[in-house]
Amino acid sequence: MTLATQKGVLPRNAKAALAHALRTATYEVLPFKSAEEKVLAHVPTDVALTVTTTEAKGLGPTIALATSLTKQGYRAAPHIAARLVRDQAHLVDIARQLSDSGVDRLFCIGGDAAEPAGEFPDALSLLQGLQAAGHSFSWVGIGGYPEGHGLIGDELIEQALKDKASHATQAITQLCFDAGTTLQWARSMHASGITLPIRVGIPGAISRQKLIRVSASLGLGQSARFLKKQQNMLRRFFLPGGYSPNRLVEKLTPAFGQNDNNLQGFHVFTFNDLDSTEAWRQAWLARLS
């Protein structure tokens, strides 16, 4: 935390905006063996969750964990990767399984599979498939890309976000370590008529050793893609002193509540370091109170 915040000189309205963003933060968890135990031990039920999908493990573990956490009283949204859904019948079966289990939230992504398993190459086609089947969810998240997408041009990315916006209730950004880039992107989305609430993706209070362990557990091919996407984080982790999300959080704080963007909260990539991440969030809230 910076000296300004330690001394309590953060402007009153900025402090209120930051406290709200941290109180309503959402956590992303990986569907690994110990994930549910860690959530139950360290995360209050008023913290909403998303559960990622890995290509190696498929959709099964993601849906199972989201379902189980929902039964435990959490608001859990599984990541449904379009490229892992075989066809419309498979999609209808997934939607029915979620609804029957009380899961009323989902996060739609294209996924990292090199080739789609069936007729859904991207998140938009998946959202359209859900609409055609008459399935609706109270909370639907889609991805945002402040720094663009390595495989898709900026104009196509922006058009895809516009096309998906009418099917969604939230946009969650990929990790971006430059507050100025995130804010510029959010303002540009607002100016283009996209009014979805935006949650800014930030890393939790995790260690470099944890990041390495997570990458190893994903499997060789997916781990390589994971490390490529997270190379910006890795560079910061191996600087003297490592990485802390505090400075990024503070730089973004003044933008919350301004009318030229739709930034409304944080989405914390926990990498299942839930004890340290929740302690970090609670420490912030205690200081701000």
Side-chain angles (χ1 to χ4, degrees), residues 27-282:
Y27 284 179
E28 183 163 307
V29 298
L30 296 158
F32 294 165
K33 187 175 181 180
S34 60
E36 182 171 2
E37 179 183 347
K38 290 181 178 180
V39 170
L40 294 175
H42 302 293
V43 182
T45 55
D46 63 353
V47 175
L49 308 168
T50 72
V51 182
T52 60
T53 291
T54 68
E55 182 185 346
K57 295 177 180 293
L59 294 169
T62 297
I63 292 172
L65 180 56
T67 296
S68 182
L69 290 172
T70 297
K71 291 177 179 177
Q72 300 278 358
Y74 292 91
R75 293 166 293 152
H79 289 214
I80 304 300
R83 290 180 164 233
L84 297 182
V85 180
R86 295 187 301 273
D87 51 30
Q88 183 70 7
H90 187 200
L91 179 60
V92 168
D93 182 63
I94 290 170
R96 184 181 300 117
Q97 182 180 347
L98 294 174
S99 296
D100 290 348
S101 301
V103 178
D104 195 30
R105 304 161 67 88
L106 53 82
F107 186 47
C108 290
I109 58 173
D112 291 331
E115 296 293 335
E119 60 191 73
F120 302 110
D122 51 35
L124 177 60
S125 59
L126 191 79
L127 290 163
Q128 291 170 333
L130 285 169
Q131 183 180 43
H135 286 281
S136 61
F137 293 81
S138 67
W139 187 100
V140 178
I142 56 175
Y145 300 87
E147 294 183 307
H149 190 291
L151 301 176
I152 307 172
D154 290 346
E155 289 185 5
L156 289 177
I157 282 287
E158 182 176 341
Q159 185 59 52
L161 188 57
K162 287 180 179 178
D163 293 339
K164 291 183 289 186
S166 63
H167 300 277
T169 63
Q170 297 267 313
I172 294 175
T173 75
Q174 297 290 78
L175 287 171
C176 176
F177 293 91
D178 188 316
T181 297
T182 295
L183 184 54
Q184 182 180 7
W185 172 83
R187 285 172 174 160
S188 124
M189 293 300 102
H190 181 81
S192 70
I194 298 172
T195 58
L196 278 179
I198 295 171
R199 287 189 171 273
V200 181
I202 62 172
I206 61 175
S207 67
R208 66 188 70 175
Q209 292 85 2
K210 178 67 174 186
L211 189 64
I212 292 169
R213 288 200 305 271
V214 167
S215 69
S217 65
L218 289 171
L220 184 59
Q222 189 165 4
S223 179
R225 287 192 294 275
F226 172 82
L227 289 173
K228 184 178 180 181
K229 289 195 294 183
Q230 306 305 334
Q231 59 185 328
N232 205 6
M233 177 189 280
L234 285 171
R235 281 196 295 269
R236 285 162 171 78
F237 264 59
F238 287 96
L239 290 172
Y243 172 76
S244 167
N246 291 340
R247 187 168 299 174
L248 179 61
V249 165
E250 290 178 342
K251 287 183 176 180
L252 286 166
T253 294
F256 288 103
Q258 293 179 353
N259 58 14
D260 64 347
N261 67 80
N262 301 314
L263 299 183
Q264 293 192 14
F266 292 116
H267 181 73
V268 186
F269 293 82
T270 70
F271 300 96
N272 290 14
D273 257 14
L274 293 162
D275 51 349
S276 59
T277 294
E278 179 60 12
W280 166 83
R281 186 179 75 100
Q282 291 297 335

